[in-house]
Amino acid sequence: MTYIVNGRSFDEEPAPGQCLRTFLRSLGHHGVKKGCDAGDCGACTVWLDGKPVHSCITPAFRADGHAVTTIEGIGAPGNLHPMQQQFRDAPGFQCGFCTAGMIMTSATFTEAQKADLPRALKGNLCRCTGYRAIEDAVKGVVGVETARPGKAVGTSVRAPAANDVVTGHAEFTMDTHIEGMLHLKVLHSPHAHARIVSIDKSAALAVPGVHRVYTWEDVPRKRFTTAIHTDHLVDPDDTFMLDNRVRFAGQRVAAVLADTPGAAEEGCRRVAVEYEVLPSVFDPEEAMAEGAPQLHGTNDPFVRDPVRNILLELHGHIGDIDAGFAEADVIHEGTYVSPRVQHAHLETHGSIAWMEDGRLNVRTSSQSPSIAKGKLAYLFALRPDQLRVFCKRVGGGFGGKQEVISEDLVALATLDTGRPVCLEYTREEEFTTASPRHPMALTIRLGARADGTLTAFQVRNVSNTGAYGNHGGETLYAGGAAVMIYRCPNKKYDAFSVYTNTVPSGALRGYGMTQPAFAVESAMDELARALHMDPCELRRRNVVRPGDPLVAMDDGPDDVTFTEDGLAKCIDLVDDALARTADEPPPGPGWLVGTGVASSVHETAPPTEHVSEAWVTLGDDLVYELAVGTVEFGEGTSTAHVQIAANQLGTTPSRIRLVQSDTDRTGFDTGAFASAGLFVSGNAVLRAANAVRDRILEFAAAHTGVHLVMCSMADESVVCGDQRVSLAELVALARGRGIRFTAARKAYGSPRSVTSNTQGFRIAVHQVTGEIRILRSVQATDAAVVINPAQVRGQVEGGVAQGIGFTLTENHHVDEDGVMVNPNLRNYRIPTYADVPRTDVLLVDSADSVGPLRSKGVAECCINPVAPALANALHDATDVRYRTLPLTPERIYSRLIEKQSVRTG
């Protein structure tokens, strides 16, 4: 067969049944991405004779004799296609994993298609941007700016990897080939709870190409937690790499190592496992009841109450809750339920391991290579110098890659065989085995005087941690942020993290606060209506303000500083914005219109220890090398770090060379999560850049004899009084004296501050179909000093879009046997372009007290108020309160019909 790919002919024979996507990648065209293998996401889009097709569902043989064009074939970093340039300059990407497919689709649009993007882009998904930036890119709107020397902060500069992302040259985890690489596939349990009686490997080992079959007997028998935190003691060591007891449908049972993925999959099918099926429990309230099946043994020191399946329980109070309710003129109580939802980052989990010079190298899709390295060293008894863990660009994370769940098996196989090994998750494995958001049920009881002053605030939170406790305790603690948002002298907080026979829950954007925010902010709205008070006014009267203690479970001291009145300002901005469209008519007959608001606060770093180290060095080429361990997966920290360094060094971002996320080439970094990528790592970058700047200025002052205070950085030179000395001269002089302009500095996640935000929606609801249309979306956020305005807007828009999915469409459906029944993007339903409105992003004018250059991270907190704001708008429109997510049309319709039936009696 003859294939013409990007103008070059190949005489190749694809494997029987091979799709065009895998065939093109085998030829080295790594810009063609894998997001679904089902034609759902569009990340694999290429042109076949000039027309866009999803290559994952196009058989390779159909391209025989036809012209195939990939993202690499339409332009290069120095010679961009117009659509590549538009995506670069909008910017129309965040993590960039979907970008090649988006560009290949968009570059074929007619003017009519550009005018109807909801239809034209229906085959391409983005989980990061919220689509507004993609729309801007398609329509040629320019959003990036050029920074002047020393003036990078506050400018929407281009991402360092922008040219590589839009041309398909940016390397993601699996975008490589190592000669002799073997492939791992995993056999998963069909049962929610069972003991493995026996495993017969013989038939699997007889499959041609199969090298090994690993079971629980072949791995280190060491307990660990897959969760990533600097302090591993905050998470329970309740997991084995492979176990002889399975606790959820989908748990790893065996791993098959083979020459090809197909051989490994066939090997998995032939592993014969005999199970003793055990009783299962899926509901956390039932799991805590007497007589429920026990998931973890009574001798497990990490479980608080194994008999009741409780991993952790929290109980705290302030004041006298009974006295507070006795004072109240109005009391509201309700239970609010949030479901299990998935991250759906388009790059699935994956890792590649190999030996080099006697050392284990692991290339992985992780939010923390430093912590991953520590866990692997523990599991395999390796010294730190025997192990390197690093990341290329990561295709989305949202907390889902704050786990070690693919690295351990590739490390095992490589250490065993000495061969390179890769493991790449399928989309189904993401849904059935990776760690989704914790389902929570929160009962909120509020008491208030007639004037709206809160007198009592009581919360009971039951969190379903699933079969294992990774993140189960920390997310429970994090929920206190939804309680500390309001002043109240009497508070009571009771929370339970409960084991069930379901997929282990984990970290997801909002981290334990999104679910409590839905509950608390919905309850506040209901309380306001019971008081016949405007919901915004009730919030204004009770929100915490500078000088107030931030208390949730107790009144003990903490390290959080709260010096800005950002939350009240956010409420005012959103209230004013919604008021300007209050008279907007419904879309037509049969539609009800309503408005809703909700607020949240978010600490700018996690309460557990968070550490980052940055190195800055001025090279002989007069480019500053900035080395920092933080991973880039679309949150924009790479751009912000470069801007901070350029700002302090008096230069432009183009003269900063970034090295990141590599344990051999960067210092320790806890990881990019909990907004710490800007707050903690950004402070480390700031301190390192300042140290190098000061060293250069001191050297220049001594060289020129000018007082230090008269010296300043000026891009490629230093100005000392009326003299200008080039950096080239200073570097040469310093080298002659054995001096290097370099520095390393650390930063820690303490003290911390608070980010505030308020979301507002104006929606229309159809009385017959239950359909929701979002007429207006606005979010105000207290980002303090904004490092990159375009990135801040993009993070908020992406967070709102993800929140809309969490609220309206996404649900992890599990049957009566604990098996997920919709493990694909098409049926899980993350938002498409047509589902997401434009969100007006309003920034509060403020400055942080402890953040780098007085800035704050906003990537995580923006999702928290979305669900309650939508639920409150739905109640305002229908006069029906919905306390269970998602707010699907059938759920809305059934309640509306129920209400109508009651009225007509």
Side-chain angles (χ1 to χ4, degrees):
M1 292 183 177
T2 300
Y3 293 86
I4 304 169
V5 182
N6 298 331
R8 294 180 57 202
S9 294
F10 295 86
D11 292 324
E12 298 283 347
E13 188 76 24
Q18 186 173 22
C19 72
L20 184 57
R21 181 191 68 81
T22 58
F23 181 61
L24 290 170
R25 286 181 63 83
S26 72
L27 296 175
H29 301 288
H30 292 136
V32 185
K33 303 302 184 193
K34 183 200 96 167
C36 66
D37 277 334
D40 294 337
C41 73
C44 67
T45 302
V46 300
W47 294 347
L48 194 59
D49 291 335
K51 296 182 179 179
V53 298
H54 288 187
S55 61
C56 71
I57 55 172
T58 302
F61 75 85
R62 289 190 180 171
D64 180 25
H66 296 274
V68 177
T69 307
T70 72
I71 188 70
E72 298 95 337
I74 68 170
N79 183 28
L80 299 181
H81 182 281
M83 189 56 70
Q84 290 174 318
Q85 183 168 328
Q86 288 172 213
F87 267 76
R88 181 195 69 181
D89 294 344
F93 66 91
Q94 286 180 22
C95 84
F97 198 79
C98 74
T99 304
M102 285 284 182
I103 291 173
M104 295 305 289
T105 299
S106 303
T108 66
F109 284 168
T110 64
E111 290 303 315
Q113 287 174 305
K114 290 180 183 179
D116 188 12
L117 289 181
R119 178 177 295 274
L121 283 174
K122 66 180 181 180
N124 290 79
L125 296 176
C126 175
R127 191 56 156 168
C128 297
T129 65
Y131 298 101
R132 192 274 318 155
I134 291 171
E135 177 185 336
D136 284 354
V138 172
K139 295 184 176 179
V141 177
V142 175
V144 299
E145 303 168 305
T146 301
R148 293 180 289 116
K151 303 293 183 182
V153 168
T155 305
S156 296
V157 303
R158 188 179 296 152
N163 279 341
D164 287 339
V165 167
V166 300
T167 57
H169 287 80
E171 277 194 45
F172 291 81
T173 308
M174 307 309 292
D175 294 344
T176 188
H177 174 72
I178 302 175
E179 195 65 33
M181 186 161 65
L182 301 176
H183 299 266
L184 268 176
K185 288 292 181 178
V186 174
L187 174 67
H188 302 281
S189 169
H191 305 293
H193 198 191
R195 183 175 291 107
I196 295 175
V197 177
S198 66
I199 301 179
D200 185 350
K201 307 176 184 179
S202 56
L205 289 169
V207 173
V210 169
H211 293 261
R212 299 282 196 280
V213 177
Y214 299 106
T215 71
W216 69 275
E217 295 176 303
D218 304 306
V219 303
R221 194 67 177 167
K222 293 183 178 180
R223 291 181 182 272
F224 77 113
T225 174
T226 60
I228 282 176
H229 292 106
T230 299
D231 182 0
H232 71 93
L233 296 177
V234 302
D235 306 301
D237 288 338
D238 59 2
T239 305
F240 292 106
M241 288 176 58
L242 293 168
D243 202 355
N244 61 345
R245 182 174 171 183
V246 294
R247 295 175 174 86
F248 70 98
Q251 183 167 332
R252 304 190 307 199
V253 172
V256 177
L257 183 66
D259 290 329
T260 65
E265 288 171 355
E266 181 61 23
C268 286
R269 284 189 284 269
R270 296 197 187 187
V271 174
V273 185
E274 181 184 352
Y275 297 95
E276 177 193 349
V277 178
L278 303 173
S280 302
V281 60
F282 307 118
D283 180 84
E285 292 286 2
E286 293 176 7
M288 289 191 289
E290 184 178 352
Q294 292 180 25
L295 272 70
H296 293 270
T298 55
N299 61 344
D300 189 335
F302 304 101
V303 180
R304 177 68 58 86
D305 186 346
V307 174
R308 297 174 58 212
N309 292 306
I310 296 176
L311 163 67
L312 178 73
E313 54 184 295
L314 303 176
H315 303 284
H317 73 276
I318 301 159
D320 185 334
I321 196 72
D322 293 331
F325 282 116
E327 290 179 39
D329 296 310
V330 173
I331 295 174
H332 164 74
E333 183 172 345
T335 298
Y336 305 83
V337 179
S338 299
R340 181 180 288 106
V341 292
Q342 235 281 334
H343 309 77
H345 34 69
L346 290 191
E347 180 201 44
T348 61
H349 286 82
S351 299
I352 302 170
W354 68 94
M355 300 301 295
E356 187 175 323
D357 297 328
R359 301 176 73 225
L360 175 66
N361 288 256
V362 179
R363 169 172 167 152
T364 186
S365 182
S366 172
Q367 290 177 229
S368 177
S370 293
I371 304 295
K373 175 179 176 176
K375 288 185 182 293
L376 294 177
Y378 160 73
L379 286 171
F380 300 105
L382 299 173
R383 299 191 313 271
D385 63 306
Q386 295 176 302
L387 175 63
R388 173 197 180 199
V389 178
F390 69 100
C391 301
K392 291 295 186 176
R393 194 171 182 91
V394 173
F398 315 112
K401 294 169 182 174
Q402 196 186 337
E403 305 272 351
V404 173
I405 57 176
S406 61
E407 296 86 352
D408 54 343
L409 287 179
V410 295
L412 169 78
T414 290
L415 289 169
D416 176 36
T417 65
R419 297 274 299 273
V421 174
C422 76
L423 169 61
E424 184 177 18
Y425 271 43
T426 65
R427 179 55 59 185
E428 181 173 339
E429 285 175 317
E430 286 291 327
F431 280 114
T432 58
T433 70
S435 301
R437 190 187 296 282
H438 291 75
M440 290 185 183
L442 290 103
T443 300
I444 310 295
R445 192 170 184 233
L446 300 173
R449 298 191 184 97
D451 65 358
T453 303
L454 289 177
T455 62
F457 194 152
Q458 186 171 5
V459 176
R460 182 179 186 268
N461 182 2
V462 177
S463 174
N464 186 344
T465 195
Y468 297 96
N470 45 308
H471 298 283
E474 288 300 282
T475 50
L476 211 62
Y477 277 106
V483 180
M484 74 185 187
I485 187 172
Y486 296 112
R487 287 177 283 115
C488 183
N490 307 296
K491 294 182 178 181
K492 191 172 190 296
Y493 187 83
D494 298 289
F496 305 84
S497 182
V498 185
Y499 286 115
T500 64
N501 293 114
T502 58
V503 59
S505 303
L508 205 165
R509 193 180 205 163
Y511 199 78
M513 287 174 277
T514 311
Q515 309 94 312
F518 167 62
V520 169
E521 290 300 293
S522 296
M524 284 292 288
D525 199 76
E526 293 196 66
L527 179 65
R529 296 178 188 281
L531 290 164
H532 306 290
M533 182 177 291
D534 176 78
C536 284
E537 182 57 30
L538 178 64
R539 288 176 171 83
R540 288 189 189 97
R541 293 189 184 190
N542 292 284
V543 292
V544 292
R545 296 182 182 274
D548 292 337
L550 289 168
V551 293
M553 289 174 277
D554 58 57
D555 56 1
D558 59 34
D559 62 346
V560 179
T561 64
F562 185 55
T563 59
E564 308 85 28
D565 197 9
L567 183 53
K569 293 177 182 177
C570 287
I571 294 170
D572 290 343
L573 285 173
V574 169
D575 196 15
D576 292 344
L578 291 175
R580 288 194 292 272
T581 58
D583 297 328
E584 184 179 352
W591 292 87
L592 304 170
V593 175
T595 299
V597 297
S599 295
S600 68
V601 296
H602 185 281
E603 294 162 345
T604 53
T608 50
E609 185 179 3
H610 207 104
V611 185
S612 181
E613 184 175 10
W615 307 337
V616 174
T617 301
L618 176 59
D620 291 344
D621 58 358
L622 306 186
V623 173
Y624 296 93
E625 183 171 279
L626 167 61
V628 62
T630 305
V631 178
E632 175 60 58
F633 53 92
E635 78 282 25
T637 53
S638 295
T639 314
H641 291 164
V642 166
Q643 287 182 258
I644 290 169
N647 202 76
Q648 300 311 102
L649 293 164
T651 189
T652 60
S654 62
R655 290 190 53 239
I656 307 293
R657 179 171 53 243
L658 184 63
V659 176
Q660 61 186 143
S661 55
D662 186 332
T663 60
D664 268 12
R665 302 181 63 195
T666 62
F668 182 88
D669 190 282
T670 296
F673 54 86
S675 297
L678 177 69
F679 186 78
V680 183
S681 302
N683 263 326
V685 170
L686 176 71
R687 293 169 187 175
N690 284 346
V692 168
R693 176 201 63 197
D694 293 347
R695 178 169 288 192
I696 293 171
L697 292 178
E698 289 166 2
F699 187 88
H703 172 64
T704 60
V706 176
H707 197 282
L708 179 61
V709 297
M710 300 294 291
C711 299
S712 61
M713 305 294 294
D715 201 12
E716 295 189 25
S717 60
V718 176
V719 174
C720 295
D722 56 2
Q723 303 179 55
R724 182 180 290 267
V725 185
S726 71
L727 282 180
E729 179 182 348
L730 293 173
V731 168
L733 286 168
R735 190 190 309 115
R737 301 177 193 177
I739 297 172
R740 295 178 66 216
F741 296 128
T742 184
R745 293 292 185 272
K746 294 179 181 178
Y748 301 87
S750 181
R752 300 174 292 151
S753 57
V754 172
T755 298
S756 309
N757 52 357
T758 297
Q759 174 70 39
F761 285 109
R762 182 174 173 79
I763 69 169
V765 186
H766 199 277
Q767 298 179 74
V768 176
T769 65
E771 177 191 352
I772 289 179
R773 290 187 187 175
I774 299 175
L775 307 177
R776 182 82 190 275
S777 172
V778 57
Q779 185 169 129
T781 185
D782 175 17
V785 172
V786 175
I787 303 291
N788 188 303
Q791 285 194 168
V792 167
R793 184 176 69 167
Q795 288 299 318
V796 174
E797 289 166 342
V800 172
Q802 204 165 9
I804 289 171
F806 168 58
T807 311
L808 299 183
T809 62
E810 299 177 41
N811 202 350
H812 195 285
H813 292 287
V814 175
D815 66 15
E816 64 274 8
D817 297 317
V819 177
M820 187 186 183
V821 298
N822 59 325
N824 55 70
L825 292 173
R826 184 168 303 183
N827 294 324
Y828 178 74
R829 281 278 287 124
I830 69 171
T832 67
Y833 178 95
D835 298 317
V836 180
R838 274 187 176 251
T839 293
D840 295 327
V841 180
L842 309 177
L843 301 178
V844 169
D845 183 16
S846 71
D848 192 55
S849 55
V850 290
L853 299 177
R854 310 194 77 184
S855 65
K856 297 179 183 180
V858 299
E860 185 161 18
C861 57
C862 46
I863 194 174
N864 292 332
V866 174
L870 272 171
N872 293 340
L874 180 59
H875 180 251
D876 187 51
T878 63
D879 200 31
V880 176
R881 173 56 62 173
Y882 296 82
R883 296 175 178 166
T884 299
L885 299 177
L887 305 176
T888 57
E890 57 269 25
R891 182 170 282 163
I892 294 169
Y893 168 77
S894 63
R895 292 285 305 282
L896 290 178
I897 290 298
E898 184 181 298
K899 174 187 173 185
Q900 186 176 356
S901 299
V902 170
R903 283 182 174 176
T904 57

